[in-house]
Amino acid sequence: MALLQTVNLTKRFGDFRAVNSVNFTVNQGEFLSLVGSNGAGKTTLVNLISAQLWPDTGQVLFEGRDITQATVFQRIRAGIARSFQLVNLFDRLTVLDNVSLAIFSREGKARNLATLAEGDREVRTEAMDVLGLFGLDTKRRLLAGGLAQGERKLLDVAVAYALRPKILFLDEPTSGVGTRDKAQIMDTISAVVRAGTVTAVVIEHDMDIVFKYSDRIVVMHEGAFLADGLPAEIRVNKEVATVLLGAAVPG
């Protein structure tokens, strides 16, 4: 079942069409990878879906409802959340308080930032449950700024997950980390998705990761969709290989 759709979505920057009449569908419960070379339009598309940018033309539909004019906050409340390529954390707050803050924000509660988790037992319990899912519960008292890069990436995803999204967009969740950390991050995210709690759309450049974890892969090129299919189909697509690698793979 389609959870999210875009209809002829277009975004121009001057004469440049960053997103060119894109029709995009994300099905409920899938792990989808969005790939393409730099400048292909991937992040711009996600920015349009998450209301970081406004489209010139086209629509965004979520659960069959037109949300094209909805604000960032309204889309979060509807069930759309995202993480960013550059981690966006409160480095002077603890790991626990970073997740608690997301929960307070989701619930519309106001609290003293110095006592976020300690002042609300229900929020603390939920925040600890989220941290447990992402393997960060033992780091709860550490300042976010003191975490290793791989842990920071996981915490950033955990904060977005704490908003209780129905669909979670992850922009380069493994960028800037080593091979071992990449596997840990993706194993953790995949386990959460496979548990049936959230649908995930991942922007990723590491094709080994893309082929290993994806249910479906969408390839963008010059603001439009070049290919959309199962990993096995994308792997043998010569046009995709030419665009991503610069040369067609041998037959």
Side-chain angles (χ1 to χ4, degrees):
M1 183 178 71
L3 179 63
L4 180 139
Q5 294 175 286
T6 69
V7 181
N8 297 325
L9 203 63
T10 299
K11 181 63 180 179
R12 301 179 186 86
F13 296 102
D15 294 331
F16 175 65
R17 289 197 179 194
V19 172
N20 188 7
S21 195
V22 164
N23 294 296
F24 183 41
T25 299
V26 182
N27 299 311
Q28 187 169 347
E30 72 178 339
F31 192 110
L32 185 149
S33 288
L34 185 61
V35 304
S37 55
N38 290 332
K42 308 179 298 297
T43 298
T44 301
L45 176 60
V46 174
N47 284 341
L48 292 170
I49 293 170
S50 58
Q52 306 293 324
L53 291 172
W54 298 103
D56 296 314
T57 58
Q59 295 175 289
V60 180
L61 306 177
F62 187 64
E63 295 184 314
R65 183 167 60 92
D66 190 337
I67 61 167
T68 311
Q69 300 303 317
T71 65
V72 171
F73 180 74
Q74 289 170 333
R75 295 189 200 197
I76 290 173
R77 292 298 297 267
I80 299 173
R82 67 173 298 180
S83 69
F84 293 86
Q85 183 175 357
L86 298 177
V87 173
N88 187 24
L89 299 172
F90 292 96
D91 285 345
R92 295 185 181 182
L93 292 181
T94 66
V95 168
L96 180 62
D97 279 348
N98 267 271
V99 175
S100 298
L101 182 58
I103 298 170
F104 281 123
S105 174
R106 185 194 74 211
E107 297 296 329
K109 295 180 178 180
R111 288 292 188 275
N112 185 331
L113 293 183
T115 57
L116 279 175
E118 302 301 334
D120 191 311
R121 182 175 296 179
E122 185 176 335
V123 169
R124 176 186 172 84
T125 299
E126 183 180 346
M128 285 299 297
D129 288 343
V130 171
L131 289 175
L133 285 175
F134 288 89
L136 293 170
D137 47 325
T138 61
K139 308 283 186 177
R140 62 188 180 277
R141 296 191 184 279
L142 296 180
L143 296 182
L147 295 177
Q149 181 64 10
E151 294 170 335
R152 287 173 60 79
K153 287 281 189 176
L154 275 176
L155 180 57
D156 195 40
V157 177
V159 167
Y161 180 82
L163 296 171
R164 290 186 185 172
K166 297 174 183 177
I167 185 168
L168 179 56
F169 289 88
L170 306 175
D171 194 349
E172 299 280 357
T174 67
S175 66
V177 301
T179 302
R180 182 181 300 178
D181 285 336
K182 285 185 178 184
Q184 180 187 359
I185 290 168
M186 294 307 300
D187 284 346
T188 302
I189 293 171
S190 178
V192 172
V193 174
R194 304 304 178 202
T197 55
V198 69
T199 298
V201 177
V202 179
I203 296 176
E204 183 56 64
H205 280 101
D206 189 324
M207 293 307 294
D208 289 335
I209 286 175
V210 169
F211 286 126
K212 180 177 180 180
Y213 293 96
S214 305
D215 296 319
R216 181 162 61 98
I217 301 170
V218 174
V219 184
M220 289 192 73
H221 180 58
E222 295 181 348
F225 283 179
L226 178 67
D228 180 347
L230 301 175
E233 295 170 334
I234 300 299
R235 188 184 291 274
V236 297
N237 187 311
K238 293 184 178 181
E239 192 174 10
V240 170
T242 300
V243 167
L244 294 183
L245 305 177
V249 295

